[in-house]
């Protein structure tokens, strides 16, 4: 089944997920926005990978008894998390601006 | 677009509307089309929540590292000086009776002691005089007897060091530093 048929089935079949959230989920990004969306997602996943790496270093330092050096790692991880929160807020503000 | 008329072209993912339901469908009554799809915004929310969880984990480790004193042990006699031979390891238990440790006299006359618990997977390390290294036989890990730092193999952290103090002919262990 190709992508178009699948989308039609999602909307037309009574057994399929016809909730509003599902219909929104299959809606593609606006023209020209697809690359930005994927770039944003990739950046987020990359930053999350860095956070996971920081966590492993923190665990290693803790086990090695160098607990005082973990603060800097925690601050960097917190900044990445704050960046994600700010991004969510910006997106919510944009949605309110474009969707009355 | 209407649904295909020819039943032979329908996909196996769609539930059969015929009166004889397919057997595999009865055993596996899930329709992937009806699964909840994840939108971009939901994915972003999930990503930020995961990021928050990772941050909380790192912060907890930072707090634990700040407040948790991982030095352990109390001062106790472990040997007398005449028991310590040159180029021979002296094995003892510290800080608890189950914790094995090794004491070495270095060529410059200094004494060093380490926990025998390998920092990889806690196998017992022992001293190999021929190569002058502490060796973990489980995964071929090597440690420097001078500093306790890992030299080769899977271990990445140094061996916990035991602080020593000589009191006349007595040799005392004061504490274990991770």
């Amino acid at each position: 089944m190709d992508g178009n048929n699948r989308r039609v089935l999602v909307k037309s079949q009574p057994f399929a997920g016809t909730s509003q959230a599902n219909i929104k989920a299959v809606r593609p990004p606006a023209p020209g926005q697809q690359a930005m969306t994927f770039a944003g997602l990739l950046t987020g996943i990359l930053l999350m990978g860095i956070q996971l790496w920081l966590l492993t270093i923190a665990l290693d330092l803790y086990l090695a008894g160098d607990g005082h050096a973990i603060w800097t790692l925690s601050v960097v991880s917190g900044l990445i998390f704050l960046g994600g929160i700010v991004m969510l807020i910006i997106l919510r503000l944009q949605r309110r601006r474009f969707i009355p | 677009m209407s649904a295909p008329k020819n039943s032979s072209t329908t996909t196996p993912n769609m539930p059969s509307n015929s009166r004889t339901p397919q057997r595999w469908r009865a055993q596996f009554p899930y329709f992937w089309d009806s699964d909840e799809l994840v939108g971009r915004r939901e994915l972003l929310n999930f990503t930020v929540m995961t990021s928050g969880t990772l941050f909380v984990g790192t912060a907890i480790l930072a707090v634990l590292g700040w407040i948790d004193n991982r030095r352990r042990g109390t001062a106790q006699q472990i040997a007398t000086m005449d028991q310590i031979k040159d180029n021979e390891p002296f094995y003892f238990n510290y800080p608890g009776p189950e914790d094995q440790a090794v004491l070495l006299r270095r060529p410059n006359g200094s004494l060093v002691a380490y926990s025998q618990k390998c920092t990889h997977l806690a196998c017992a390390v022992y001293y190999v005089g021929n190569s002058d290294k502490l060796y973990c036989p489980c995964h071929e890990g090597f440690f420097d007897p001078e500093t306790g730092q890992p030299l080769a193999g899977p271990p990445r952290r140094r061996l916990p060091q035991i602080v020593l103090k000589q009191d006349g002919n007595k040799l005392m262990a004061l504490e274990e530093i991770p």
Side-chain angles (χ1 to χ4, degrees), chain B residues 121-162:
Chain B
L121 288 177
C123 290
V125 300
Y126 63 89
Y127 179 69
V128 180
N130 295 337
S131 59
D132 189 30
K133 287 182 179 64
L134 289 159
Y135 171 64
C136 176
C138 287
H139 300 97
E140 304 285 322
F142 288 92
F143 295 89
D144 184 2
E146 205 70 50
T147 61
Q149 294 286 349
L151 296 174
R156 289 289 175 268
R157 297 190 305 275
R158 70 176 187 186
L159 288 173
Q161 190 164 15
I162 294 168

Side-chain angles (χ1 to χ4, degrees), chain B residues 73-123:
Chain B
T74 53
Q76 56 182 274
Q77 182 181 349
I78 53 171
T80 54
M81 288 305 291
D82 50 1
Q83 287 180 287
I84 315 299
K85 310 278 190 246
D86 287 344
N87 297 322
E88 277 187 30
F90 178 79
Y91 296 101
F92 62 101
N93 293 325
Y94 184 84
E98 304 291 326
D99 302 311
Q100 296 172 319
V102 57
L103 172 71
L104 303 168
R105 186 194 289 275
R106 302 302 300 150
N108 60 6
S110 64
L111 294 170
V112 288
Y114 303 100
S115 166
Q116 272 191 283
K117 197 182 281 185
C118 179
T119 51
H120 177 225
L121 288 177
C123 290

Side-chain angles (χ1 to χ4, degrees), chain A residues 25-82:
Chain A
V26 295
R27 193 167 62 192
Q33 291 294 310
Q34 198 156 16
M36 289 297 291
T37 306
F38 279 120
L41 268 179
L42 275 180
T43 308
I45 290 168
L46 184 71
L47 288 172
M48 224 166 56
I50 290 175
Q51 275 191 303
L52 186 61
W53 178 58
L54 291 175
L55 181 63
T56 59
I57 294 175
L59 186 61
D60 197 44
L61 284 173
Y62 173 69
L63 291 176
D66 299 329
H68 296 274
I70 305 178
W71 282 109
T72 47
L73 305 177
S74 179
V75 167
V76 174
S77 185
L79 286 177
I80 294 174
F81 174 54
L82 272 182

